[in-house]
Amino acid sequence: MASSHPPQQGAVVVARSALLTLTATPSDHTLALRVTRLADHRLIAGQGRVTATLDGRPVSLTAEPGGAYLLSRSGGGGTQELRVVVAHDGIRELLSGTVTVPRHRSALESLEGHGMAAWWVLNVAVILIAVIVISRHRR
């Protein structure tokens, strides 16, 4: 179930204990968490072995086949306190640290980020609609 894996590129160490290391790897819309044993560098893997909270609120984690846990988030991004409880070797261990959660951009924010191009598209769409309405009204 658990296997030995090299560190992921872009991974940041969030917390470390005498037995475990917690790393986080950000991507566009997710945060992948990995818990590794220090003794043999094996991942703690499997559904239900790791639970997490962000700023004191429980978040759901999805266990991936490769040993990562994908953090499901439904709010703003930014720097937040992460607390992870790991069940391993008959004990439960708490690891905590600070992570930067990628911010989920809405469609409106994406349009705002593209500036003038979005305004030109909107203007052309309004003109086309006006032409269609006027041509139908004249018939």
Side-chain angles (χ1 to χ4, degrees):
M1 187 184 302
S3 61
S4 181
H5 287 277
Q8 296 291 313
Q9 188 173 18
V12 176
V13 175
V14 176
R16 186 172 288 164
S17 71
L19 301 173
L20 304 174
T21 298
L22 172 66
T23 59
T25 308
S27 68
D28 290 340
H29 301 289
T30 62
L31 193 65
L33 304 176
R34 286 180 176 74
V35 182
T36 310
R37 288 182 173 90
L38 287 174
D40 57 7
H41 302 288
R42 291 177 54 118
L43 291 173
I44 305 288
Q47 191 68 32
R49 304 217 33 208
V50 175
T51 59
T53 61
L54 272 178
D55 285 341
R57 291 182 303 276
V59 292
S60 62
L61 295 176
T62 305
E64 293 290 302
Y69 296 91
L70 293 184
L71 181 82
S72 149
R73 56 182 179 70
S74 61
T79 302
Q80 299 180 7
E81 181 181 356
L82 174 67
R83 300 184 84 160
V84 174
V85 176
V86 183
H88 69 99
D89 303 320
I91 62 171
R92 293 172 49 90
E93 191 168 343
L94 173 66
L95 300 169
S96 62
T98 304
V99 294
T100 301
V101 178
R103 187 165 181 257
H104 180 67
R105 294 180 61 167
S106 69
L108 179 60
E109 289 174 322
S110 295
L111 281 177
E112 289 173 354
H114 289 92
M116 288 303 290
W119 282 112
W120 278 105
V121 169
L122 179 63
N123 287 334
V124 169
V126 168
I127 290 170
L128 286 174
I129 291 171
V131 167
I132 291 170
V133 168
I134 289 171
S135 68
R136 287 187 179 179
H137 184 64
R138 286 190 178 173
R139 289 186 196 169

